[in-house]
Amino acid sequence: MNNQSGPSIQRPFSPVRFVRNLAVAILAVVVYVYGWQVTEINLQTLVQGVGDIRPLVEDLLNPQVFERDKQVVRLRVPFPIPCPPDYVPQPATYKGARMDIEPACGEAEEVVVTLRNGRPNTLARVRWGFPIGTDQIVTQAATDDQGNLRVRFQRPEPALGGLEGEHRVEITMEWEEGPLRISDTLKTVVDKMVETVFLALMATTFGVIFALPVSFLGARNLMTTTLWGTVTYYLVRLVFNILRSVETLIWAVIFVVWVGIGPFAGVMALTVHSIAALAKLYSEAIESIDPGPIEAITATGASRLQTVIYAVIPQVIPPFIAFTIYRWDINVRMSTVVGLVGGGGIGYILIQYINLLQYRQAAVAMWAIVIVVSAMDYLSGYIRERVV
Amino acid sequence: MLEVRQLNKIYPGGIHALKDVTFTVEEGEFLVLIGLSGSGKSTLLRCINRLVEPTSGQVIWNGVDITAASPAELRHIRRQIGMIFQQFNLVKRLPVITNVLTGRLGYVSPWRSLFNYWTPEERRMAMQNLERVGIADQAWKRADELSGGQQQRVAIARALMQNPKLILADEPVASLDPATSHSVMKYILELNRRDGITVICSLHFLSLARQYGTRIIALRDGHIVFDGKPEEIDDRRFKEIYGEDAVEVEIR
Ligand SMILES: Nc1ncnc2c1ncn2[C@@H]1O[C@H](COP(=O)(O)OP(=O)(O)OP(=O)(O)O)[C@@H](O)[C@H]1O
Ligand SMILES: [Mg+2]
C-alpha cells in the first residue's frame, strides 16, 4: 500500500469543477443549436442550388471583353382577324429576303411562316403580336444553307383583350458580324477601375496627412510624461477607437447621404477609416522605438519638438512606410466595394450589372478587380521589401 | 560645483533606488561611481540632469537648484552637462555628423531644427570634435555602421558639442572589449585633464575605477558605502561594497 506516499497522479475529483464544466458544456450546446437555427443553415439548399449557379459561373468564366457589331433583321407582316373581304396578303421584304405567311388572315388554328433568301444558318425567332400591343415568341428555328425557312406553329391565344383586330407576325434574326473589338463593357470597366485606384490613392494620402500629426499625440511614451499630455493621449486614443470601430462601408453609407453618390463619398469613407487605423499603427510604431536616443537627446538640453525630430522621427520612418503601404493595399481592396453602396469606383457598376442580371458584364468587372488587387498586392510587397 | 543633498528616489513600483545620497563634487574631479548591479548608479546619474525625477532632495549646480528648475531653466542647465551611455544611444539611421550635431540642439532654435539646418560654424565644430576622437573620416556613414568603440567616440563628440562643464557617463565601456574600453576611457580622461571638464562616471570594474578616478563613491542598495580616494579601497572595504563572495579582477 504505497499509494499513500506522494500525491495521486490523477487530479482529485472536485464536484464544483464538475458542475461548472457541465454547465459550460450545456451552454455551448444551447448556443450552437440556437445559432444553427437563427442563421437558417440549410445544407440541402446548398446541394440543390448547385444547378442554379451553373449559368452564372459559365458567364463569369466568359467575360464580355470583346464583341462584334450586332446585326438585326426584322420582317413583319400583318395578320388581321377576321379576314377582311378581298384581303390581299402583304409579304414583307428586306434586302432581298422575303417573308410569307399562310393563311394570311382569319381564325386559323395553325399558321405556316416561310422565309426565303434570308441569312443562311442563322437563328430566326418568330413572334406573334396581339392587337393590344403585347407579343410573345411562338417558335424559333435556324435557316438552311440557302437562307430559307419554313415553320408551322399554333396560333397563340391572347391572354388579354379580344381576338379581333390586327395581329402581327414577326421574324427576327440576330447575328454578330465584322472584326472582334473591345467591348463597351471593358471600356467602362477600365474607366471605373482607374477611378477606383485613384480613390484608394487619394484616401491613403489624406489618411497619412491627418494620421501623421495625431499619431504623435496618441503615443504613450511621448505623451504620458505630463498631465495634459496624458489627458490628450487618452482622448486621442478614444477618438481613434471610435472611428475605427465603424466599418468603411458604414462610413460610405453616411457619406453618400452627406455628399451624394459618387467617388467623393468613397474617398471620404476610406479616409476616415484610414486616419484612425493609420494613426493607431503609427502610434504603436512610436511606442516601440528605442528610448535610448530620446534620453540622449533630451540630455543635451533639446526641447521636446527637437527630441521628436531627431530621436523619434528617424526611428519611425521605416515602420511608417511599411504601414502606409499596408493601408494602401487595404484601401485598394475596400475601394472596390464602397461602390456597392454608392461610393463610386468599380463596385458601383458591378452592382448594377448584377442587378440587371448581366453576368457576362459583371464578370468583366470582377476579373478587373482580381487583376488590379493582386497586381497592387504584388507591387506593395515589392516596395515594402525594398524600403524596409 | 555640484552638490547632491539628501537625494531619494522611489520608483513607481516601490523600489527605493536612492536613499539619502549626499555628496559634493569639486570642479575638475574625475569621480567614479561603483557598486553592484541594481545599486542605483544609473538612477543617481539620471537624477542629476533629471532624466529621472528625484522623489526628494536637492541637486545644486553652481548655486542653482536643478530639482526646482523650470523646464526652460532645466534645458539651459542640461546643455552644460554632457551625457554618455552604455548603449551609446546614437540615432542609428542618421549619419555620424548629424548625431554629433544633435549635441548642439540646446543652443539652437526649434524652428531651425524643423528644417534640419545647421550653420557652417556648427558643422565645422562637429568635424573638429570628430577629429578629436579620431573618426572624422567616418562622418558621413550611418551611425549603426560603426563599431561599438567608434560609436562611443561619436557619443563623446556629441557631448563635446555642448561645451559641457560636466560629463555624466553611465558605464561608458561596459559594452566594449578591454582594449577598446581603455581607448574610450582615455578620451574621457583627456577631456577631464586637458579641458578641465568635471566627470562623473559609473564603472563596473574596480580596476578601471582605480586607474581613472581621482575619487570613488561606492553605492550599495541606494546608500553611499564609500567615498574617498581610490587607494583607500582595501580588501575589507572591497567586501563591504561588493559583498563577501566577490573577488577583484583586473582588466588591462
Ligand atoms: N524605470 C524604473 N522603474 C522601476 N524600477 C527601476 C527603474 N529603473 C531602475 N529601477 C530599479 O532601481 C534600482 C536601481 O537601478 P539602477 O539602474 O539605478 O542600478 P545600477 O546600479 O545602474 O545597475 P546596473 O549596474 O545594472 O546598471 C534597481 O533595483 C532597479 O530595478
Ligand atoms: Mg545602470
Side-chain angles (χ1 to χ4, degrees):
Chain A
M1 292 293 273
N2 62 356
N3 53 359
Q4 280 173 343
S5 67
S8 156
I9 58 166
Q10 292 247 296
R11 197 174 175 181
F13 178 79
S14 139
V16 173
R17 199 169 60 230
F18 177 77
V19 170
R20 193 192 61 202
N21 289 351
L22 193 68
V24 169
I26 291 172
L27 188 70
V29 169
V30 169
V31 164
Y32 283 107
V33 166
Y34 182 71
W36 188 277
Q37 283 174 355
V38 86
T39 55
E40 296 174 19
I41 290 174
N42 185 344
L43 298 179
Q44 211 179 345
T45 59
L46 199 60
V47 177
Q48 283 169 349
V50 168
D52 295 347
I53 62 157
R54 180 169 311 138
L56 199 152
V57 172
E58 277 168 6
D59 279 352
L60 286 184
L61 292 178
N62 188 13
Q64 195 179 52
V65 178
F66 300 108
E67 64 191 9
R68 297 174 200 274
D69 287 332
K70 205 166 254 178
Q71 300 289 325
V72 182
V73 166
R74 195 168 279 139
L75 294 134
R76 177 191 290 172
V77 295
F79 192 97
I81 299 178
C83 268
D86 305 330
Y87 181 69
V88 182
Q90 300 167 20
T93 56
Y94 180 77
K95 286 186 183 168
R98 176 187 164 114
M99 171 185 174
D100 288 285
I101 187 157
E102 211 206 316
C105 58
E107 279 188 53
E109 289 284 307
E110 276 190 344
V111 184
V112 177
V113 168
T114 41
L115 176 71
R116 275 186 292 265
N117 283 328
R119 188 172 186 269
N121 304 315
T122 307
L123 186 73
R125 288 202 175 90
V126 182
R127 277 173 192 277
W128 191 279
F130 299 106
I132 57 164
T134 57
D135 64 12
Q136 74 182 74
I137 293 179
V138 283
T139 182
Q140 60 182 39
T143 54
D144 65 13
D145 290 344
Q146 278 73 46
N148 296 335
L149 175 79
R150 183 184 171 84
V151 282
R152 176 189 298 271
F153 59 90
Q154 296 273 317
R155 180 179 56 77
E157 292 295 329
L160 289 169
L163 181 63
E164 293 192 5
E166 175 121 318
H167 295 241
R168 303 167 308 281
V169 185
E170 188 179 284
I171 292 183
T172 320
M173 285 190 291
E174 273 185 21
W175 69 93
E176 291 181 338
E177 205 174 67
L180 274 181
R181 56 180 177 77
I182 288 176
S183 71
D184 291 340
T185 311
L186 186 61
K187 285 181 194 152
T188 313
V189 164
V190 168
D191 206 43
K192 285 289 168 181
M193 206 66 224
V194 171
E195 184 180 301
T196 307
V197 170
F198 278 94
L199 201 157
L201 177 75
M202 296 315 282
T204 311
T205 310
F206 290 145
V208 170
I209 290 172
F210 288 100
L212 269 181
V214 283
S215 66
F216 287 87
L217 302 179
R220 176 184 286 271
N221 54 342
L222 299 185
M223 296 304 290
T224 52
T225 48
T226 61
L227 176 66
W228 280 114
T230 312
V231 172
T232 317
Y233 164 80
Y234 281 107
L235 273 179
V236 167
R237 272 292 161 116
L238 183 72
V239 173
F240 288 174
N241 287 339
I242 292 173
L243 290 185
R244 222 159 29 84
S245 65
V246 179
E247 263 300 325
T248 312
L249 271 185
I250 296 173
W251 283 118
V253 171
I254 293 171
F255 280 108
V256 163
V257 175
W258 190 340
V259 302
I261 287 179
F264 183 47
V267 169
M268 290 307 299
L270 287 175
T271 300
V272 171
H273 201 261
S274 297
I275 292 173
L278 276 177
K280 177 164 184 284
L281 289 174
Y282 289 170
S283 300
E284 281 166 6
I286 296 171
E287 284 172 3
S288 64
I289 61 174
D290 175 8
I294 298 180
E295 250 196 332
I297 289 185
T298 307
T300 66
S303 71
R304 282 199 86 62
L305 178 67
Q306 289 171 324
T307 309
V308 168
I309 293 172
Y310 283 97
V312 179
I313 291 179
Q315 291 195 66
V316 296
I317 283 175
F320 274 24
I321 290 175
F323 288 138
T324 307
I325 294 172
Y326 168 69
R327 191 67 221 175
W328 154 255
D329 234 39
I330 294 177
N331 280 349
V332 169
R333 252 169 256 262
M334 285 311 296
S335 64
T336 62
V337 288
V338 286
L340 301 183
V341 294
I346 189 99
Y348 190 51
I349 54 164
L350 175 61
I351 196 76
Q352 282 177 4
Y353 289 142
I354 290 175
N355 287 342
L356 295 171
L357 307 182
Q358 294 176 333
Y359 293 130
R360 285 194 66 205
Q361 278 91 328
V364 180
M366 289 194 188
W367 282 110
I369 291 173
V370 170
I371 290 167
V372 168
V373 168
S374 30
M376 289 300 168
D377 209 38
Y378 175 81
L379 186 72
S380 62
Y382 176 79
I383 297 175
R384 198 170 8 221
E385 229 165 69
R386 277 309 185 79
V387 176
V388 189
Chain B
M1 88 190 300
L2 185 79
E3 210 183 324
V4 175
R5 285 189 201 148
Q6 299 286 311
L7 202 63
N8 279 276
K9 174 64 191 176
I10 304 172
Y11 280 109
I15 293 169
H16 203 160
L18 292 178
K19 296 164 188 158
D20 290 335
V21 171
T22 302
F23 63 94
T24 306
V25 186
E26 299 305 331
E27 198 155 346
E29 270 191 298
F30 195 118
L31 171 64
V32 175
L33 291 177
I34 58 171
L36 284 173
S37 200
S39 56
K41 305 185 292 295
S42 301
T43 305
L44 174 55
L45 286 169
R46 282 171 172 70
C47 280
I48 291 174
N49 63 1
R50 272 175 63 191
L51 285 180
V52 165
E53 215 49 67
T55 308
S56 67
Q58 287 169 320
V59 179
I60 313 288
W61 163 256
N62 292 328
V64 181
D65 186 356
I66 297 181
T67 48
S70 71
E73 286 167 347
L74 179 62
R75 281 205 295 279
H76 208 269
I77 296 166
R78 273 176 179 165
R79 72 181 194 192
Q80 304 171 60
I81 304 178
M83 191 155 190
I84 298 168
F85 302 83
Q86 177 180 347
Q87 298 303 333
F88 325 132
N89 288 353
L90 302 180
V91 184
K92 295 191 175 59
R93 288 171 48 85
L94 291 182
V96 165
I97 180 110
T98 311
N99 269 286
V100 175
L101 284 164
T102 57
R104 203 67 195 160
L105 283 172
Y107 294 85
V108 161
S109 105
W111 301 114
R112 237 175 72 192
S113 307
L114 220 44
F115 303 101
N116 188 27
Y117 176 77
W118 301 97
T119 61
E121 181 64 25
E122 286 159 343
R123 291 177 177 278
R124 253 196 306 282
M125 188 178 170
M127 283 311 279
Q128 276 166 11
N129 283 325
L130 275 175
E131 263 161 41
R132 250 196 101 164
V133 293
I135 44 173
D137 52 329
Q138 313 283 334
W140 292 100
K141 280 197 180 165
R142 258 175 66 148
D144 56 1
E145 288 173 34
L146 269 54
S147 71
Q150 289 174 321
Q151 289 192 37
Q152 196 60 297
R153 278 142 74 186
V154 175
I156 293 172
R158 174 173 67 189
L160 281 175
M161 290 297 282
Q162 298 174 234
N163 279 336
K165 299 201 173 58
L166 170 68
I167 282 185
L168 306 173
D170 190 9
E171 295 185 23
V173 296
S175 312
L176 304 175
D177 62 67
T180 318
S181 294
H182 277 295
S183 91
V184 167
M185 285 309 296
K186 284 201 177 101
Y187 282 112
I188 298 176
L189 187 65
E190 196 195 78
L191 304 185
N192 177 249
R193 297 280 154 81
R194 234 181 61 189
D195 304 34
I197 300 172
T198 312
V199 174
I200 307 180
C201 174
S202 72
L203 288 172
H204 250 127
F205 286 102
L206 185 58
S207 61
L208 282 176
R210 287 187 201 280
Q211 204 168 337
Y212 294 98
T214 55
R215 174 180 165 200
I216 291 179
I217 286 183
L219 288 173
R220 187 168 179 176
D221 293 335
H223 287 292
I224 292 184
V225 291
F226 173 84
D227 183 351
K229 295 249 171 301
E231 52 275 15
E232 291 169 27
I233 299 184
D234 52 19
D235 252 17
R236 190 181 58 78
R237 287 240 161 80
F238 179 80
K239 289 209 153 57
E240 266 173 30
I241 300 166
Y242 286 106
E244 290 300 322
D245 302 332
V247 277
E248 188 170 352
V249 293
E250 186 118 347
I251 91 161
R252 293 180 188 282

